Amino acid sequence: MKMNKDRWISLCLILFALIWIWQASKIKPLLAVASEDVGPKLFPYFAGSILLVCSIGKFFSSKEKGKPFCTKEQWITVGILLGTLVAYVLLLYLVGFFVSTPPMLFALVYLLNGRKKPKVVKTIIFAVVMTAIVFLVFRYVLSVMLPMGILFD
Amino acid sequence: MTLSVLLSLFTLERILLSIIGTIIGIVFGAIPGLASSTALALMLPVAFSMDSYTAIIFLSNVWIGGCSGGLIAAILLGIPGQSSSIATCYDGYPLSQKGQSVKALGIGILSSFIGTVGGVLVAYLFCPFIAKWAVKLGPWELFSLCFCAIILVVTISKGDIWNGLIAASLGLIFSCVGFSPIDGAKRMTFGIISIYGGINLLALILGIFALGQILKNVAKGKTTNPNVDMSGIRGFGLTMKEFVSNIPNIIRSFLIGLWIGFLPGMGSGLSNMVAYASAKGSSKHPEEFGKGCIEGVFASEVANNASVGGAIIPMITLGIPGDTPTSILLGALTIFGVEAGPLLMTNSAQFANTFFAACILAAVITLAIQFFGMRSFPLMLKIPFEYLFSAISVICFVGAFSNTNTLSNCWLMLIFAFIGLFLYYAELPTAPLLLGFILGPMLEKNLRKGLTYATNGVWSFFTRPISCVLLLVAIGSLVWPIIKSIINKRKLATKGDAQA
C-alpha cells in the first residue's frame, strides 16, 4: 500500500482520535445525577469513535489526487503570516492595541500583496488611519473594549 | 386592539429611533465577529433610558437589522458575520466571485424581508395554538432532530461521505470541551481556565472562516478581489422568472426556518444550513450548488430570517428564548416589568402587539436601507485585496477580544485559523464541523435526558413516532447513496450483458 496525502491525513486523524479516547477515559464524573444517567464520558467516546472509524474508512478508500495544495514558497509565506498573527496577539497583550496595530497592518499589507510591491508611504498612512478608525468606531460608536496592554495599564 | 391605537404608538421620535436601531443592527451584523446578540447586549443599557414601549421598538429594530446584516459580509467576503449566514456564503460568495454581487445581495435582501415578515405574521397569528402543542416535545424528538440535521448537512457536503463524517465528528469533539451538560464535569480542559465554559463559538467561526480563509487564499496565491459588474442592474437585480421559479424553494425554506427557530436552543444558526441542504436535495440541478446558485441564497436567507418569527413564539407564549438574541430581549422585557409567558397576550396585549408591529416595521426599514445601499456595498471589493483583508484581520482580532474581553479568545481564534487551514488542506468540509459543534451540547443533553427518563433505554428513541421518523430519514440519507451506487452498477452490468 502506497502512502499518499490522504493516507497521511487519515493517519494523523486516527492518532488524534486514539489520544482523544484515551483522554476521555480519564474524565471524572462529578456526582451521580441519576442511576440511569450514562455520565459525561459517553459522548466524548461516541464522538471519538466516529472519528476513529471514519478516519480508518478514509485511509482505505483514498485515491491518489494529482494537484498539490500549493507550492513550497507559498507554504513559507503562510508560515510567516501565521507567525505575524501570533506576534500580534503577543504585542496586544504587552503593549496594547495602539502600539501593535499599525506595524501589524503594515506587515500584513506586505504579506498579502502577492507579487506587487505596495508603496511604503501609502501603506504607512493606511496603517495609521485604519488603526484610528477601528479605535474610534469600536470604542465610541459601538462602545466595545479594546486591549490596552499590561505595560501601559 | 384597533389599528389606530397601534398607529398612535408609533410617533415620529420612535420611528427615527427605529431607523437608528436598524442601522446599528445592520452594521453589527455585517462586521465579522459582531452579531445581533452583541448589538442587543450593547444597546440594552441605552434602551433603559427610554420608556418601555420605545425601548421594545428600538431593541426589536436592532435585533431584526442584525439578523439581516450578516448577509453582506457573507456574500461579498465569504465570511459569515454570524452563524446564521454560513450557508449564505456557500452560494452568495461564488456569485460575488463571478461579478454578480449585486444580484446576490438583492436576493439576500429580498429573502430576508420575506422571511422576517412571514415569520412575524405567523408568530402573531398562531402564537397561542403552537405553544400548547410544543410543550409535548421531549428530549427524544430534540435529539433525533439534531442528529438528522447533522447527517443531512454531511450528505450534502462536497467530497466523499467519510470526509463529511470526519468533519462532523471533529465538531462534536470540540463541543465536548469544557463543563459537560447536566452534571458539569470538567472535560478536556487541561487546566486552562478560559476554556472551562467551552470553546468560544465566535473564536471558532472567525478562526476557520475569516483567518483560515485568508491563509488559504495566500497559500493558493489568490490575492486579488473579483470584479463587480454593476451594469444593467435594475430593482433587486433578479428577473421575475427567477423569483417565480424559486417560490416552492422559498416556502419550504420558510417553513424549515420557522420550525427550527421555534425549537428552543436552535435558531437561525441551524435553520439556514438545513434549508440549504433541503434546497439542494430537492433541486433539479444539485451539482450547481456551491458554485453560485441563486436557490442556495434564497434558501439560506429566507430560513434564517423566518427563524426570527419562530423564535418569537416560545419567547412570547412560554417565556422560553429560542436563541441568544431572544434571551437578551426576554431579559429586557423582565427589566421593564413585562412578564413573558402564557399570560402576556391577555395581560399586556397592547405591549405584545406593539412588539409584533415593531418587528414588521424593522423588516421594512431594513429592506429600504439595504435596497438603497445594495449598489454601494460591493464598492468594498474595489479596495485592493491586501488593504481590505489586513483591515478585516484586525477587526477579527478586535471582535474576538470584545466577545469575552480576554486575549485568550484571540489565541483560540488563531488555533482555529490553523485548524481551518488544515481542513482546507485535507479537503474536509467546514459546514458539518460547525453544525456538529453548535449542536453537540444539545445532542448530548437530550441523549442523556432521553436515556434517563425512558424505561426501555435506547429503544425509546425509536418508539416515539416523530423521533423515529427523523432517525429513519437520517439513516436513510446516509445509506441511500451507497444503495444508489450499487443499483447503478447493477444496471450498467445488465446493460453490458445485454450488449454482449
Side-chain angles (χ1 to χ4, degrees):
Chain A
M1 187 175 284
K2 225 177 107 193
M3 288 303 285
N4 57 24
K5 183 186 121 183
D6 262 11
R7 293 229 160 91
W8 281 116
I9 292 168
S10 314
L11 267 189
C12 292
L13 288 168
I14 291 170
L15 195 68
F16 176 69
L18 288 175
I19 294 174
W20 177 267
I21 292 170
W22 168 57
Q23 284 293 327
S25 67
K26 291 203 217 161
I27 295 169
K28 290 186 201 84
L30 268 186
L31 46 126
V33 179
S35 54
E36 296 88 356
D37 187 29
V38 287
K41 279 186 189 184
L42 176 83
F43 202 68
Y45 276 144
F46 172 70
S49 327
I50 299 177
L51 181 63
L52 187 65
V53 170
C54 295
S55 306
I56 295 173
K58 185 181 161 77
F59 185 86
F60 286 107
S61 70
S62 93
K63 288 174 212 98
E64 188 72 61
K65 281 176 206 125
K67 226 169 139 195
F69 185 68
C70 66
T71 63
K72 205 176 165 190
E73 281 160 35
Q74 285 166 332
W75 272 125
I76 293 170
T77 321
V78 170
I80 298 173
L81 190 59
L82 262 175
T84 316
L85 297 177
V86 170
Y88 182 52
V89 186
L90 273 177
L91 282 173
L92 279 177
Y93 173 69
L94 288 173
V95 293
F97 180 80
F98 282 113
V99 184
S100 55
T101 306
M104 148 85 171
L105 278 169
F106 189 83
L108 276 182
V109 169
Y110 266 79
L111 285 169
L112 292 178
N113 75 338
R115 295 216 170 76
K116 301 159 281 171
K117 269 257 181 293
K119 293 191 178 85
V120 180
V121 181
K122 195 177 155 191
T123 310
I124 291 176
I125 295 173
F126 163 76
V128 174
V129 172
M130 196 64 218
T131 309
I133 293 176
V134 171
F135 174 75
L136 290 175
V137 169
F138 275 85
R139 188 71 200 91
Y140 292 105
V141 183
L142 308 179
S143 36
V144 168
M145 293 289 285
L146 293 170
M148 284 300 144
I150 53 161
L151 295 181
F152 300 128
D153 225 0
Chain B
M1 191 172 74
T2 56
L3 199 65
S4 59
V5 179
L6 197 61
L7 283 176
S8 69
L9 284 171
F10 285 88
T11 57
L12 187 67
E13 186 206 348
R14 284 177 179 162
I15 289 177
L16 273 178
L17 269 174
S18 304
I19 296 173
I20 297 172
T22 311
I23 294 174
I24 294 175
I26 293 176
V27 170
F28 268 85
I31 295 177
L34 301 177
S36 53
S37 50
T38 333
L40 276 174
L42 288 170
M43 287 304 128
L44 205 54
V46 180
F48 291 156
S49 58
M50 308 167 187
D51 65 282
S52 58
Y53 281 95
T54 316
I56 197 69
I57 290 170
F58 176 69
L59 287 177
S60 43
N61 276 276
V62 173
W63 181 36
I64 305 283
C67 292
S68 315
L71 67 96
I72 301 172
I75 289 173
L76 295 180
L77 307 170
I79 299 171
Q82 43 196 325
S83 53
S84 62
S85 42
I86 288 164
T88 313
C89 288
Y90 297 155
D91 277 301
Y93 186 52
L95 268 175
S96 194
Q97 294 279 312
K98 284 196 234 164
Q100 294 179 309
S101 41
V102 178
K103 183 176 181 172
L105 282 174
I107 294 170
I109 293 163
L110 193 65
S111 314
S112 291
F113 178 74
I114 297 172
T116 314
V117 172
V120 173
L121 284 179
V122 170
Y124 175 67
L125 296 173
F126 295 102
C127 250
F129 307 104
I130 301 175
K132 270 181 212 155
W133 181 72
V135 242
K136 288 180 189 150
L137 285 185
W140 305 275
E141 283 80 18
L142 292 176
F143 170 83
S144 306
L145 184 81
C146 295
F147 185 74
C148 184
I150 294 178
I151 296 297
L152 276 182
V153 172
V154 164
T155 52
I156 60 137
S157 53
K158 271 183 269 177
D160 60 22
I161 200 92
W162 295 120
N163 281 352
L165 284 171
I166 287 174
S169 61
L170 281 174
L172 293 179
I173 281 180
F174 293 136
S175 80
C176 288
V177 176
F179 290 123
S180 67
I182 297 185
D183 61 351
K186 255 185 268 169
R187 293 195 300 204
M188 311 292 182
T189 51
F190 305 106
I192 307 164
I193 296 168
S194 54
I195 55 170
Y196 275 15
I199 288 171
N200 186 285
L201 174 65
L202 193 70
L204 186 134
I205 291 183
L206 287 181
I208 291 178
F209 285 91
L211 291 184
Q213 195 166 10
I214 295 174
L215 287 172
K216 181 187 111 184
N217 283 343
V218 171
K220 293 245 175 204
K222 242 170 84 182
T223 48
T224 44
N225 280 329
N227 288 320
V228 184
D229 184 14
M230 305 281 277
S231 57
I233 299 286
R234 256 187 246 132
F236 284 100
L238 81 160
T239 60
M240 201 60 203
K241 199 179 150 202
E242 283 170 326
F243 180 74
V244 172
S245 65
N246 268 297
I247 288 178
N249 180 17
I250 291 173
I251 295 173
R252 185 183 49 239
S253 312
F254 175 74
L255 292 176
I256 291 173
L258 196 70
W259 162 241
I260 291 179
F262 164 71
L263 296 168
M266 290 181 259
S268 43
L270 172 62
S271 66
N272 71 89
M273 283 195 262
V274 175
Y276 183 86
S278 70
K280 187 176 176 181
S282 48
S283 168
K284 284 182 195 119
H285 40 79
E287 70 284 350
E288 282 175 28
F289 275 70
K291 292 175 191 158
C293 180
I294 58 169
E295 288 164 46
V297 183
F298 266 118
S300 165
E301 280 304 316
V302 169
N304 68 15
N305 282 70
S307 296
V308 166
I312 290 176
I313 301 174
M315 179 184 109
I316 291 283
T317 55
L318 303 172
I320 299 172
D323 51 9
T324 327
T326 37
S327 49
I328 298 174
L329 272 179
L330 202 64
L333 289 182
T334 322
I335 291 165
F336 285 112
V338 179
E339 200 183 329
L343 292 177
L344 180 74
M345 297 295 266
T346 44
N347 286 353
S348 341
Q350 188 170 327
F351 194 81
N353 289 331
T354 311
F355 174 65
F356 285 120
C359 289
I360 300 275
L361 177 73
V364 176
I365 297 175
T366 310
L367 180 75
I369 293 175
Q370 293 194 324
F371 179 74
F372 289 113
M374 201 166 84
R375 279 153 186 79
S376 46
F377 294 144
L379 292 180
M380 192 159 47
L381 295 179
K382 299 244 180 210
I383 305 168
F385 179 89
E386 61 269 27
Y387 291 105
L388 183 63
F389 280 91
S390 52
I392 286 174
S393 315
V394 169
I395 293 173
C396 287
F397 279 98
V398 175
F401 175 83
S402 68
N403 192 237
T404 56
N405 274 337
T406 50
L407 272 176
S408 54
N409 220 25
C410 293
W411 287 118
L412 202 59
M413 183 176 71
L414 273 183
I415 293 171
F416 277 99
F418 189 76
I419 293 174
L421 187 66
F422 172 76
L423 292 177
Y424 293 122
Y425 174 71
E427 290 167 39
L428 295 173
T430 46
L433 184 143
L434 204 68
L435 203 62
F437 180 74
I438 294 174
L439 292 185
M442 287 282 291
L443 205 61
E444 178 174 13
K445 192 172 78 190
N446 288 309
L447 175 71
R448 284 174 70 179
K449 271 191 192 167
L451 287 176
T452 312
Y453 296 163
T455 45
N456 51 350
V458 186
W459 285 113
S460 54
F461 290 93
F462 289 95
T463 49
R464 296 178 66 107
I466 298 177
S467 165
C468 181
V469 169
L470 286 168
L471 285 178
L472 288 179
V473 168
I475 296 167
S477 55
L478 202 59
V479 182
W480 175 240
I482 303 169
I483 299 173
K484 209 167 139 188
S485 75
I486 294 174
I487 294 174
N488 280 348
K489 263 184 202 163
R490 284 228 178 123
K491 264 188 193 166
L492 279 178
T494 46
K495 251 189 195 171
D497 287 347
Q499 274 170 2

